[in-house]
PDB file of all heavy atoms in Angstrom:
ATOM      1  N   ALA A   1     -31.419  81.011 149.201  1.00 97.00           N
ATOM      2  CA  ALA A   1     -30.119  80.377 149.312  1.00 97.00           C
ATOM      3  C   ALA A   1     -30.299  78.905 149.670  1.00 97.00           C
ATOM      4  O   ALA A   1     -31.334  78.513 150.214  1.00 97.00           O
ATOM      5  CB  ALA A   1     -29.276  81.081 150.369  1.00 97.00           C
ATOM      6  N   PRO A   2     -29.298  78.078 149.395  1.00 91.00           N
ATOM      7  CA  PRO A   2     -29.392  76.660 149.728  1.00 91.00           C
ATOM      8  C   PRO A   2     -29.697  76.444 151.205  1.00 91.00           C
ATOM      9  O   PRO A   2     -29.037  77.019 152.073  1.00 91.00           O
ATOM     10  CB  PRO A   2     -28.004  76.119 149.370  1.00 91.00           C
ATOM     11  CG  PRO A   2     -27.528  77.033 148.293  1.00 91.00           C
ATOM     12  CD  PRO A   2     -28.029  78.394 148.703  1.00 91.00           C
ATOM     13  N   GLY A   3     -30.703  75.636 151.482  1.00 94.00           N
ATOM     14  CA  GLY A   3     -31.061  75.330 152.852  1.00 94.00           C
ATOM     15  C   GLY A   3     -31.813  76.418 153.589  1.00 94.00           C
ATOM     16  O   GLY A   3     -32.072  76.270 154.790  1.00 94.00           O
ATOM     17  N   LYS A   4     -32.166  77.492 152.912  1.00 96.00           N
ATOM     18  CA  LYS A   4     -32.876  78.588 153.550  1.00 96.00           C
ATOM     19  C   LYS A   4     -34.193  78.873 152.836  1.00 96.00           C
ATOM     20  O   LYS A   4     -34.393  78.494 151.685  1.00 96.00           O
ATOM     21  CB  LYS A   4     -32.022  79.851 153.566  1.00 96.00           C
ATOM     22  CG  LYS A   4     -30.757  79.747 154.406  1.00 96.00           C
ATOM     23  CD  LYS A   4     -30.041  81.080 154.466  1.00 96.00           C
ATOM     24  CE  LYS A   4     -28.818  81.010 155.360  1.00 96.00           C
ATOM     25  NZ  LYS A   4     -28.126  82.326 155.437  1.00 96.00           N
ATOM     26  N   GLU A   5     -35.072  79.582 153.535  1.00 96.00           N
ATOM     27  CA  GLU A   5     -36.340  79.980 152.945  1.00 96.00           C
ATOM     28  C   GLU A   5     -36.139  81.211 152.066  1.00 96.00           C
ATOM     29  O   GLU A   5     -35.181  81.955 152.221  1.00 96.00           O
ATOM     30  CB  GLU A   5     -37.364  80.283 154.040  1.00 96.00           C
ATOM     31  CG  GLU A   5     -37.749  79.081 154.884  1.00 96.00           C
ATOM     32  CD  GLU A   5     -38.829  79.401 155.893  1.00 96.00           C
ATOM     33  OE1 GLU A   5     -39.176  80.584 156.054  1.00 96.00           O
ATOM     34  OE2 GLU A   5     -39.332  78.457 156.520  1.00 96.00           O
ATOM     35  N   ARG A   6     -37.064  81.401 151.155  1.00 95.00           N
ATOM     36  CA  ARG A   6     -37.001  82.569 150.295  1.00 95.00           C
ATOM     37  C   ARG A   6     -37.154  83.839 151.128  1.00 95.00           C
ATOM     38  O   ARG A   6     -37.980  83.903 152.044  1.00 95.00           O
ATOM     39  CB  ARG A   6     -38.095  82.495 149.233  1.00 95.00           C
ATOM     40  CG  ARG A   6     -38.003  83.581 148.175  1.00 95.00           C
ATOM     41  CD  ARG A   6     -39.040  83.382 147.077  1.00 95.00           C
ATOM     42  NE  ARG A   6     -38.859  82.132 146.364  1.00 95.00           N
ATOM     43  CZ  ARG A   6     -39.549  81.790 145.273  1.00 95.00           C
ATOM     44  NH1 ARG A   6     -40.461  82.621 144.777  1.00 95.00           N
ATOM     45  NH2 ARG A   6     -39.326  80.621 144.699  1.00 95.00           N
ATOM     46  N   GLU A   7     -36.361  84.860 150.809  1.00 96.00           N
ATOM     47  CA  GLU A   7     -36.405  86.100 151.553  1.00 96.00           C
ATOM     48  C   GLU A   7     -36.535  87.302 150.630  1.00 96.00           C
ATOM     49  O   GLU A   7     -36.071  87.296 149.488  1.00 96.00           O
ATOM     50  CB  GLU A   7     -35.151  86.255 152.429  1.00 96.00           C
ATOM     51  CG  GLU A   7     -33.858  86.369 151.644  1.00 96.00           C
ATOM     52  CD  GLU A   7     -32.645  86.604 152.522  1.00 96.00           C
ATOM     53  OE1 GLU A   7     -32.815  86.887 153.723  1.00 96.00           O
ATOM     54  OE2 GLU A   7     -31.514  86.501 152.000  1.00 96.00           O
ATOM     55  N   PHE A   8     -37.133  88.343 151.157  1.00 96.00           N
ATOM     56  CA  PHE A   8     -37.308  89.590 150.430  1.00 96.00           C
ATOM     57  C   PHE A   8     -35.971  90.270 150.204  1.00 96.00           C
ATOM     58  O   PHE A   8     -35.117  90.293 151.090  1.00 96.00           O
ATOM     59  CB  PHE A   8     -38.232  90.508 151.229  1.00 96.00           C
ATOM     60  CG  PHE A   8     -38.207  91.944 150.783  1.00 96.00           C
ATOM     61  CD1 PHE A   8     -38.911  92.351 149.663  1.00 96.00           C
ATOM     62  CD2 PHE A   8     -37.482  92.884 151.491  1.00 96.00           C
ATOM     63  CE1 PHE A   8     -38.896  93.669 149.250  1.00 96.00           C
ATOM     64  CE2 PHE A   8     -37.455  94.212 151.093  1.00 96.00           C
ATOM     65  CZ  PHE A   8     -38.170  94.601 149.970  1.00 96.00           C
ATOM     66  N   VAL A   9     -35.797  90.850 149.019  1.00 98.00           N
ATOM     67  CA  VAL A   9     -34.577  91.577 148.698  1.00 98.00           C
ATOM     68  C   VAL A   9     -34.866  93.051 148.421  1.00 98.00           C
ATOM     69  O   VAL A   9     -34.278  93.938 149.035  1.00 98.00           O
ATOM     70  CB  VAL A   9     -33.853  90.967 147.484  1.00 98.00           C
ATOM     71  CG1 VAL A   9     -32.655  91.821 147.080  1.00 98.00           C
ATOM     72  CG2 VAL A   9     -33.401  89.545 147.800  1.00 98.00           C
ATOM     73  N   ALA A  10     -35.768  93.318 147.480  1.00 98.00           N
ATOM     74  CA  ALA A  10     -36.052  94.696 147.095  1.00 98.00           C
ATOM     75  C   ALA A  10     -37.407  94.781 146.427  1.00 98.00           C
ATOM     76  O   ALA A  10     -37.904  93.805 145.872  1.00 98.00           O
ATOM     77  CB  ALA A  10     -34.968  95.227 146.154  1.00 98.00           C
ATOM     78  N   ALA A  11     -38.008  95.967 146.468  1.00 97.00           N
ATOM     79  CA  ALA A  11     -39.305  96.186 145.846  1.00 97.00           C
ATOM     80  C   ALA A  11     -39.363  97.580 145.243  1.00 97.00           C
ATOM     81  O   ALA A  11     -38.653  98.492 145.682  1.00 97.00           O
ATOM     82  CB  ALA A  11     -40.424  96.015 146.866  1.00 97.00           C
ATOM     83  N   ILE A  12     -40.233  97.742 144.248  1.00 97.00           N
ATOM     84  CA  ILE A  12     -40.374  99.026 143.577  1.00 97.00           C
ATOM     85  C   ILE A  12     -41.819  99.206 143.115  1.00 97.00           C
ATOM     86  O   ILE A  12     -42.459  98.258 142.655  1.00 97.00           O
ATOM     87  CB  ILE A  12     -39.383  99.130 142.393  1.00 97.00           C
ATOM     88  CG1 ILE A  12     -39.375 100.534 141.795  1.00 97.00           C
ATOM     89  CG2 ILE A  12     -39.695  98.075 141.331  1.00 97.00           C
ATOM     90  CD1 ILE A  12     -38.215 100.759 140.826  1.00 97.00           C
ATOM     91  N   SER A  13     -42.328 100.422 143.255  1.00 95.00           N
ATOM     92  CA  SER A  13     -43.676 100.721 142.799  1.00 95.00           C
ATOM     93  C   SER A  13     -43.691 100.890 141.284  1.00 95.00           C
ATOM     94  O   SER A  13     -42.643 101.002 140.645  1.00 95.00           O
ATOM     95  CB  SER A  13     -44.202 101.984 143.482  1.00 95.00           C
ATOM     96  OG  SER A  13     -43.436 103.122 143.115  1.00 95.00           O
ATOM     97  N   TRP A  14     -44.888 100.946 140.720  1.00 93.00           N
ATOM     98  CA  TRP A  14     -44.991 100.996 139.252  1.00 93.00           C
ATOM     99  C   TRP A  14     -44.344 102.241 138.663  1.00 93.00           C
ATOM    100  O   TRP A  14     -43.834 102.211 137.534  1.00 93.00           O
ATOM    101  CB  TRP A  14     -46.459 100.912 138.829  1.00 93.00           C
ATOM    102  CG  TRP A  14     -47.250 102.155 139.099  1.00 93.00           C
ATOM    103  CD1 TRP A  14     -47.968 102.452 140.216  1.00 93.00           C
ATOM    104  CD2 TRP A  14     -47.412 103.280 138.216  1.00 93.00           C
ATOM    105  NE1 TRP A  14     -48.561 103.685 140.105  1.00 93.00           N
ATOM    106  CE2 TRP A  14     -48.241 104.210 138.882  1.00 93.00           C
ATOM    107  CE3 TRP A  14     -46.943 103.584 136.944  1.00 93.00           C
ATOM    108  CZ2 TRP A  14     -48.598 105.432 138.310  1.00 93.00           C
ATOM    109  CZ3 TRP A  14     -47.304 104.798 136.378  1.00 93.00           C
ATOM    110  CH2 TRP A  14     -48.122 105.698 137.053  1.00 93.00           C
ATOM    111  N   SER A  15     -44.379 103.341 139.408  1.00 93.00           N
ATOM    112  CA  SER A  15     -43.828 104.599 138.916  1.00 93.00           C
ATOM    113  C   SER A  15     -42.379 104.821 139.353  1.00 93.00           C
ATOM    114  O   SER A  15     -41.790 105.849 139.011  1.00 93.00           O
ATOM    115  CB  SER A  15     -44.675 105.767 139.406  1.00 93.00           C
ATOM    116  OG  SER A  15     -44.607 105.887 140.814  1.00 93.00           O
ATOM    117  N   SER A  16     -41.821 103.893 140.104  1.00 94.00           N
ATOM    118  CA  SER A  16     -40.470 103.991 140.669  1.00 94.00           C
ATOM    119  C   SER A  16     -40.375 105.047 141.759  1.00 94.00           C
ATOM    120  O   SER A  16     -39.273 105.387 142.189  1.00 94.00           O
ATOM    121  CB  SER A  16     -39.429 104.284 139.585  1.00 94.00           C
ATOM    122  OG  SER A  16     -39.384 103.250 138.626  1.00 94.00           O
ATOM    123  N   SER A  17     -41.514 105.559 142.210  1.00 94.00           N
ATOM    124  CA  SER A  17     -41.503 106.597 143.232  1.00 94.00           C
ATOM    125  C   SER A  17     -41.201 106.048 144.622  1.00 94.00           C
ATOM    126  O   SER A  17     -40.803 106.801 145.511  1.00 94.00           O
ATOM    127  CB  SER A  17     -42.840 107.334 143.256  1.00 94.00           C
ATOM    128  OG  SER A  17     -43.906 106.459 143.578  1.00 94.00           O
ATOM    129  N   ILE A  18     -41.394 104.750 144.803  1.00 96.00           N
ATOM    130  CA  ILE A  18     -41.156 104.124 146.096  1.00 96.00           C
ATOM    131  C   ILE A  18     -40.303 102.883 145.908  1.00 96.00           C
ATOM    132  O   ILE A  18     -40.575 102.064 145.032  1.00 96.00           O
ATOM    133  CB  ILE A  18     -42.470 103.720 146.791  1.00 96.00           C
ATOM    134  CG1 ILE A  18     -43.432 104.906 146.878  1.00 96.00           C
ATOM    135  CG2 ILE A  18     -42.190 103.167 148.185  1.00 96.00           C
ATOM    136  CD1 ILE A  18     -44.810 104.533 147.379  1.00 96.00           C
ATOM    137  N   THR A  19     -39.279 102.752 146.721  1.00 97.00           N
ATOM    138  CA  THR A  19     -38.455 101.548 146.726  1.00 97.00           C
ATOM    139  C   THR A  19     -38.216 101.113 148.157  1.00 97.00           C
ATOM    140  O   THR A  19     -38.326 101.905 149.089  1.00 97.00           O
ATOM    141  CB  THR A  19     -37.101 101.766 146.031  1.00 97.00           C
ATOM    142  OG1 THR A  19     -36.399 102.839 146.670  1.00 97.00           O
ATOM    143  CG2 THR A  19     -37.290 102.103 144.562  1.00 97.00           C
ATOM    144  N   ASP A  20     -37.877  99.849 148.316  1.00 97.00           N
ATOM    145  CA  ASP A  20     -37.595  99.315 149.638  1.00 97.00           C
ATOM    146  C   ASP A  20     -36.576  98.196 149.491  1.00 97.00           C
ATOM    147  O   ASP A  20     -36.543  97.507 148.465  1.00 97.00           O
ATOM    148  CB  ASP A  20     -38.874  98.789 150.295  1.00 97.00           C
ATOM    149  CG  ASP A  20     -38.687  98.476 151.770  1.00 97.00           C
ATOM    150  OD1 ASP A  20     -37.817  99.094 152.406  1.00 97.00           O
ATOM    151  OD2 ASP A  20     -39.426  97.610 152.295  1.00 97.00           O
ATOM    152  N   TYR A  21     -35.753  98.030 150.534  1.00 98.00           N
ATOM    153  CA  TYR A  21     -34.697  97.033 150.493  1.00 98.00           C
ATOM    154  C   TYR A  21     -34.586  96.296 151.812  1.00 98.00           C
ATOM    155  O   TYR A  21     -34.869  96.847 152.881  1.00 98.00           O
ATOM    156  CB  TYR A  21     -33.340  97.689 150.212  1.00 98.00           C
ATOM    157  CG  TYR A  21     -33.265  98.429 148.910  1.00 98.00           C
ATOM    158  CD1 TYR A  21     -33.579  99.784 148.840  1.00 98.00           C
ATOM    159  CD2 TYR A  21     -32.879  97.777 147.745  1.00 98.00           C
ATOM    160  CE1 TYR A  21     -33.512 100.469 147.641  1.00 98.00           C
ATOM    161  CE2 TYR A  21     -32.807  98.455 146.543  1.00 98.00           C
ATOM    162  CZ  TYR A  21     -33.126  99.801 146.494  1.00 98.00           C
ATOM    163  OH  TYR A  21     -33.052 100.475 145.299  1.00 98.00           O
ATOM    164  N   ALA A  22     -34.160  95.056 151.723  1.00 98.00           N
ATOM    165  CA  ALA A  22     -33.823  94.327 152.927  1.00 98.00           C
ATOM    166  C   ALA A  22     -32.591  94.972 153.551  1.00 98.00           C
ATOM    167  O   ALA A  22     -31.721  95.488 152.847  1.00 98.00           O
ATOM    168  CB  ALA A  22     -33.542  92.863 152.604  1.00 98.00           C
ATOM    169  N   ASP A  23     -32.510  94.942 154.865  1.00 98.00           N
ATOM    170  CA  ASP A  23     -31.378  95.557 155.549  1.00 98.00           C
ATOM    171  C   ASP A  23     -30.039  94.978 155.084  1.00 98.00           C
ATOM    172  O   ASP A  23     -29.033  95.691 155.021  1.00 98.00           O
ATOM    173  CB  ASP A  23     -31.506  95.373 157.062  1.00 98.00           C
ATOM    174  CG  ASP A  23     -32.602  96.229 157.664  1.00 98.00           C
ATOM    175  OD1 ASP A  23     -33.017  97.216 157.026  1.00 98.00           O
ATOM    176  OD2 ASP A  23     -33.048  95.918 158.784  1.00 98.00           O
ATOM    177  N   SER A  24     -30.037  93.719 154.743  1.00 98.00           N
ATOM    178  CA  SER A  24     -28.804  93.052 154.360  1.00 98.00           C
ATOM    179  C   SER A  24     -28.216  93.547 153.043  1.00 98.00           C
ATOM    180  O   SER A  24     -27.034  93.323 152.776  1.00 98.00           O
ATOM    181  CB  SER A  24     -29.032  91.538 154.279  1.00 98.00           C
ATOM    182  OG  SER A  24     -30.029  91.223 153.326  1.00 98.00           O
ATOM    183  N   VAL A  25     -29.029  94.223 152.226  1.00 98.00           N
ATOM    184  CA  VAL A  25     -28.536  94.671 150.923  1.00 98.00           C
ATOM    185  C   VAL A  25     -28.559  96.183 150.766  1.00 98.00           C
ATOM    186  O   VAL A  25     -28.106  96.693 149.726  1.00 98.00           O
ATOM    187  CB  VAL A  25     -29.331  94.027 149.769  1.00 98.00           C
ATOM    188  CG1 VAL A  25     -29.324  92.512 149.890  1.00 98.00           C
ATOM    189  CG2 VAL A  25     -30.762  94.560 149.724  1.00 98.00           C
ATOM    190  N   LYS A  26     -29.042  96.915 151.752  1.00 98.00           N
ATOM    191  CA  LYS A  26     -29.090  98.370 151.662  1.00 98.00           C
ATOM    192  C   LYS A  26     -27.697  98.950 151.448  1.00 98.00           C
ATOM    193  O   LYS A  26     -26.741  98.557 152.106  1.00 98.00           O
ATOM    194  CB  LYS A  26     -29.711  98.965 152.926  1.00 98.00           C
ATOM    195  CG  LYS A  26     -31.204  98.796 153.026  1.00 98.00           C
ATOM    196  CD  LYS A  26     -31.761  99.451 154.283  1.00 98.00           C
ATOM    197  CE  LYS A  26     -33.266  99.304 154.360  1.00 98.00           C
ATOM    198  NZ  LYS A  26     -33.821  99.901 155.595  1.00 98.00           N
ATOM    199  N   GLY A  27     -27.617  99.885 150.523  1.00 98.00           N
ATOM    200  CA  GLY A  27     -26.342 100.505 150.209  1.00 98.00           C
ATOM    201  C   GLY A  27     -25.535  99.750 149.184  1.00 98.00           C
ATOM    202  O   GLY A  27     -24.542 100.285 148.664  1.00 98.00           O
ATOM    203  N   ARG A  28     -25.927  98.531 148.886  1.00 98.00           N
ATOM    204  CA  ARG A  28     -25.200  97.718 147.911  1.00 98.00           C
ATOM    205  C   ARG A  28     -26.031  97.395 146.672  1.00 98.00           C
ATOM    206  O   ARG A  28     -25.495  97.330 145.569  1.00 98.00           O
ATOM    207  CB  ARG A  28     -24.732  96.405 148.550  1.00 98.00           C
ATOM    208  CG  ARG A  28     -23.783  96.592 149.722  1.00 98.00           C
ATOM    209  CD  ARG A  28     -23.184  95.266 150.179  1.00 98.00           C
ATOM    210  NE  ARG A  28     -24.208  94.332 150.645  1.00 98.00           N
ATOM    211  CZ  ARG A  28     -24.450  93.136 150.105  1.00 98.00           C
ATOM    212  NH1 ARG A  28     -23.733  92.733 149.053  1.00 98.00           N
ATOM    213  NH2 ARG A  28     -25.381  92.350 150.600  1.00 98.00           N
ATOM    214  N   PHE A  29     -27.322  97.176 146.859  1.00 98.00           N
ATOM    215  CA  PHE A  29     -28.209  96.816 145.753  1.00 98.00           C
ATOM    216  C   PHE A  29     -29.117  97.990 145.395  1.00 98.00           C
ATOM    217  O   PHE A  29     -29.515  98.773 146.262  1.00 98.00           O
ATOM    218  CB  PHE A  29     -29.095  95.627 146.132  1.00 98.00           C
ATOM    219  CG  PHE A  29     -28.378  94.310 146.267  1.00 98.00           C
ATOM    220  CD1 PHE A  29     -26.999  94.224 146.275  1.00 98.00           C
ATOM    221  CD2 PHE A  29     -29.120  93.144 146.392  1.00 98.00           C
ATOM    222  CE1 PHE A  29     -26.345  93.011 146.405  1.00 98.00           C
ATOM    223  CE2 PHE A  29     -28.483  91.919 146.521  1.00 98.00           C
ATOM    224  CZ  PHE A  29     -27.100  91.846 146.529  1.00 98.00           C
ATOM    225  N   THR A  30     -29.472  98.086 144.124  1.00 98.00           N
ATOM    226  CA  THR A  30     -30.392  99.111 143.656  1.00 98.00           C
ATOM    227  C   THR A  30     -31.407  98.489 142.708  1.00 98.00           C
ATOM    228  O   THR A  30     -31.030  97.844 141.730  1.00 98.00           O
ATOM    229  CB  THR A  30     -29.656 100.242 142.922  1.00 98.00           C
ATOM    230  OG1 THR A  30     -28.683 100.834 143.787  1.00 98.00           O
ATOM    231  CG2 THR A  30     -30.649 101.322 142.485  1.00 98.00           C
ATOM    232  N   ILE A  31     -32.682  98.691 143.008  1.00 98.00           N
ATOM    233  CA  ILE A  31     -33.737  98.212 142.131  1.00 98.00           C
ATOM    234  C   ILE A  31     -34.217  99.367 141.258  1.00 98.00           C
ATOM    235  O   ILE A  31     -34.324 100.503 141.722  1.00 98.00           O
ATOM    236  CB  ILE A  31     -34.908  97.600 142.938  1.00 98.00           C
ATOM    237  CG1 ILE A  31     -35.925  96.938 142.000  1.00 98.00           C
ATOM    238  CG2 ILE A  31     -35.576  98.645 143.820  1.00 98.00           C
ATOM    239  CD1 ILE A  31     -36.992  96.128 142.737  1.00 98.00           C
ATOM    240  N   SER A  32     -34.484  99.082 140.007  1.00 97.00           N
ATOM    241  CA  SER A  32     -34.975 100.096 139.080  1.00 97.00           C
ATOM    242  C   SER A  32     -35.835  99.421 138.026  1.00 97.00           C
ATOM    243  O   SER A  32     -35.893  98.195 137.953  1.00 97.00           O
ATOM    244  CB  SER A  32     -33.806 100.856 138.429  1.00 97.00           C
ATOM    245  OG  SER A  32     -32.992  99.987 137.670  1.00 97.00           O
ATOM    246  N   ARG A  33     -36.495 100.228 137.214  1.00 96.00           N
ATOM    247  CA  ARG A  33     -37.326  99.647 136.167  1.00 96.00           C
ATOM    248  C   ARG A  33     -37.407 100.564 134.972  1.00 96.00           C
ATOM    249  O   ARG A  33     -37.250 101.784 135.074  1.00 96.00           O
ATOM    250  CB  ARG A  33     -38.728  99.333 136.703  1.00 96.00           C
ATOM    251  CG  ARG A  33     -39.552 100.545 137.118  1.00 96.00           C
ATOM    252  CD  ARG A  33     -40.789 100.123 137.912  1.00 96.00           C
ATOM    253  NE  ARG A  33     -41.679  99.279 137.134  1.00 96.00           N
ATOM    254  CZ  ARG A  33     -42.686  98.574 137.641  1.00 96.00           C
ATOM    255  NH1 ARG A  33     -42.913  98.600 138.954  1.00 96.00           N
ATOM    256  NH2 ARG A  33     -43.454  97.829 136.856  1.00 96.00           N
TER     257      ARG A  33
END
């Protein structure tokens, strides 16, 4: 964001078996591949 450092949002393993989210976006964002 403007004036802020880059922050983690979401991650996913190659098989989609593992995902992780920043607390600020949990329940709202979904990562997939």
